[in-house]
Amino acid sequence: MEFEPIVVKEEWEMILDFFENSFGKRPTEMEPILLLIGVQELGQGHAHFTKEQKQDLLHIATCKVLSYSDFYRLDGLDEEVGHIGKMYKEFHHCL
């Protein structure tokens, strides 16, 4: 899947607007967005999570986001961590 920068920017703004309208605050970092994705993927609804559980939720969300670009494929679920899968494409961090 190829990304068009203008479309990504517009959709990202829509996500930020959603957070602002829903929670009264616009996130300045990715972590709250990833946590919400992780909670959604876990499917357990609202709950109090420990620091370790939040790290697991971030992992689940990161895997989910990477799966949309074919960088990651979900192979199953693990009771402790959540998603079990495999990276399929190498990607480079922007410096």
Side-chain angles (χ1 to χ4, degrees):
M1 174 189 323
E2 292 295 320
F3 294 107
E4 295 182 39
I6 191 71
V7 174
V8 172
K9 184 172 175 54
E10 290 170 356
E11 291 181 358
W12 180 246
E13 285 300 318
M14 288 172 50
I15 292 169
L16 294 178
D17 289 343
F18 167 79
F19 266 81
E20 189 170 20
N21 293 333
S22 298
F23 304 108
K25 189 174 182 182
R26 212 171 159 88
T28 57
E29 298 179 5
M30 288 289 295
E31 202 168 275
I33 296 169
L34 289 173
L35 281 172
L36 188 62
I37 293 169
V39 169
Q40 179 69 31
E41 285 300 302
L42 191 60
Q44 293 184 355
H46 179 74
H48 176 75
F49 297 103
T50 66
K51 184 176 181 177
E52 184 176 310
Q53 289 171 323
K54 288 178 183 177
Q55 289 174 331
D56 291 343
L57 290 171
L58 290 172
H59 171 78
I60 290 168
T62 301
C63 293
K64 181 65 175 179
V65 170
L66 289 173
S67 73
Y68 284 113
S69 301
D70 297 325
F71 282 102
Y72 182 88
R73 189 185 79 209
L74 175 65
D75 290 334
L77 295 174
D78 179 297
E79 288 182 22
E80 287 185 32
V81 180
H83 290 156
I84 300 294
K86 183 176 179 182
M87 296 296 292
Y88 279 90
K89 290 182 185 176
E90 187 174 323
F91 63 97
H92 304 280
H93 297 287
C94 299
L95 299 177

